[in-house]
Amino acid sequence: TVTFVVWGYSWFKLLQPRQAMSVVPEGSRLLTVGFRKIYHTSIHIFNNHKPLAWFYTSIAFSDSATQALLIIGIAYSIELLNFSAVETGITVFILLVSSSVGCFVSPLSFRRMSPVRSNQLCIFLIALTTTAVALFISNASHKGLFYLFAAFWGTCGGWKYTTERFIAVTIIPEGQDAELMGMYLFSGQILSWLPPLVFTAMNEANISIRISMISLLLFWLIAIICLQCMGSYECAVRGQPGAVVEVETAETNNSDEQYSMSRAGSSNEGYHS
């Protein structure tokens, strides 16, 4: 009810009329023009913005596995740990609260590594935690330990999504922000059906749920490899028109270089590499 009231007020009262940014091309239909636009935009990205293409590919695989983790994790806790509805609710609450903590971990990590490496690290930690759960959490006596792993999952999840959004807004070419942020959201959903399908197929084949959970590692591994193929984050940012990267030498104990990036009149706090 609260969501309906807030959403309804925002939709009917706060959204103002605006002119259309584009028109449906002649000979095209409104039902299919969106899919054609996505196709042509994808071809343009892969031909002209290789780092962005690899980043979107990593999002497709990492987000699909991370989104499926909540569903699979709940099924895992009910089947092996005999979780009740209340205990399942506690697990979800821990995930939500710890994800907020992860949002603060993300900018702290930029002081030691680039955002791309930070993203790789948090995906690796999610995969490592999932492996640990599958190997060491096997019966109802491990409920407390499962809550601990859930907190770590949530922290890494908040860290992951914050870092990915930072990368997206800094490497997207200026002037294409709205369109390519739409592609970013699309990338995160395009394979969301695949990990649950793999898990369900393995479960129907009477394969252990612990092995089925480990199947998520394949998606995270592909995502890490795609991020590695992006190359240097600094080059990805500098290669976009309108992106300005100022390099200052900071006199610190480690003689780190401090980067500050500004785009379209706004600036983002840099990181130490």
Side-chain angles (χ1 to χ4, degrees):
T1 302
V2 174
T3 301
F4 176 78
V5 171
V6 173
W7 179 85
Y9 175 77
S10 302
W11 182 267
F12 292 104
K13 295 294 184 180
L14 300 182
L15 292 179
Q16 301 297 320
R18 57 171 294 176
Q19 294 181 349
M21 298 296 294
S22 60
V23 296
V24 178
E26 186 177 354
S28 300
R29 296 181 179 180
L30 186 61
L31 185 62
T32 59
V33 69
F35 295 102
R36 291 184 178 179
K37 181 64 175 177
I38 290 174
Y39 170 76
H40 291 299
T41 301
S42 301
I43 296 299
H44 173 76
I45 291 173
F46 274 91
N47 289 337
N48 300 282
H49 305 289
K50 293 294 185 181
L52 192 59
W54 284 114
F55 175 65
Y56 283 160
T57 305
S58 76
I59 292 295
F61 284 95
S62 67
D63 275 18
S64 63
T66 305
Q67 292 167 14
L69 182 60
L70 176 61
I71 301 172
I72 296 174
I74 291 176
Y76 189 92
S77 64
I78 293 174
E79 180 169 335
L80 291 186
L81 308 183
N82 298 319
F83 265 32
S84 65
V86 173
E87 290 170 325
T88 300
I90 293 173
T91 303
V92 174
F93 178 76
I94 291 174
L95 286 169
L96 292 175
V97 173
S98 57
S99 66
S100 300
V101 177
C103 296
F104 295 96
V105 175
S106 175
L108 292 176
S109 69
F110 296 166
R111 299 179 181 180
R112 296 296 180 184
M113 64 191 76
S114 75
V116 173
R117 301 297 169 252
S118 175
N119 197 18
Q120 286 179 308
L121 177 59
C122 67
I123 293 174
F124 172 76
L125 292 176
I126 293 174
L128 185 65
T129 304
T130 304
T131 304
V133 169
L135 293 178
F136 302 115
I137 306 296
S138 59
N139 55 64
S141 65
H142 297 150
K143 288 183 178 181
L145 190 57
F146 187 82
Y147 288 141
L148 180 62
F149 281 125
F152 200 73
W153 268 333
T155 302
C156 292
W159 174 4
K160 174 182 180 295
Y161 287 116
T162 303
T163 302
E164 288 172 348
R165 280 160 176 76
F166 180 86
I167 295 173
V169 300
T170 52
I171 70 173
I172 286 177
E174 187 176 355
Q176 296 179 269
D177 307 72
E179 178 183 9
L180 295 187
M181 276 304 293
M183 284 295 297
Y184 165 76
L185 298 175
F186 175 76
S187 299
Q189 299 295 324
I190 190 172
L191 293 180
S192 60
W193 56 273
L194 186 55
L197 178 63
V198 173
F199 177 81
T200 301
M202 296 178 71
N203 186 60
E204 292 297 318
N206 294 321
I207 298 175
S208 171
I209 191 173
R210 301 171 75 178
I211 298 176
S212 300
M213 175 175 276
I214 293 179
S215 67
L216 294 175
L217 269 62
L218 176 62
F219 296 88
W220 287 316
L221 176 62
I222 295 174
I224 292 174
I225 293 174
C226 290
L227 287 172
Q228 190 65 31
C229 292
M230 282 183 63
S232 168
Y233 169 74
E234 294 84 359
C235 292
V237 175
R238 290 188 179 114
Q240 307 304 335
V244 178
V245 182
E246 299 176 354
V247 181
E248 300 175 346
T249 303
E251 295 183 2
T252 63
N253 293 335
N254 297 323
S255 298
D256 293 332
E257 292 180 346
Q258 183 179 12
Y259 290 83
S260 62
M261 293 169 291
S262 61
R263 292 186 56 183
S266 62
S267 61
N268 292 314
E269 181 182 357
Y271 61 89
H272 295 277
S273 60

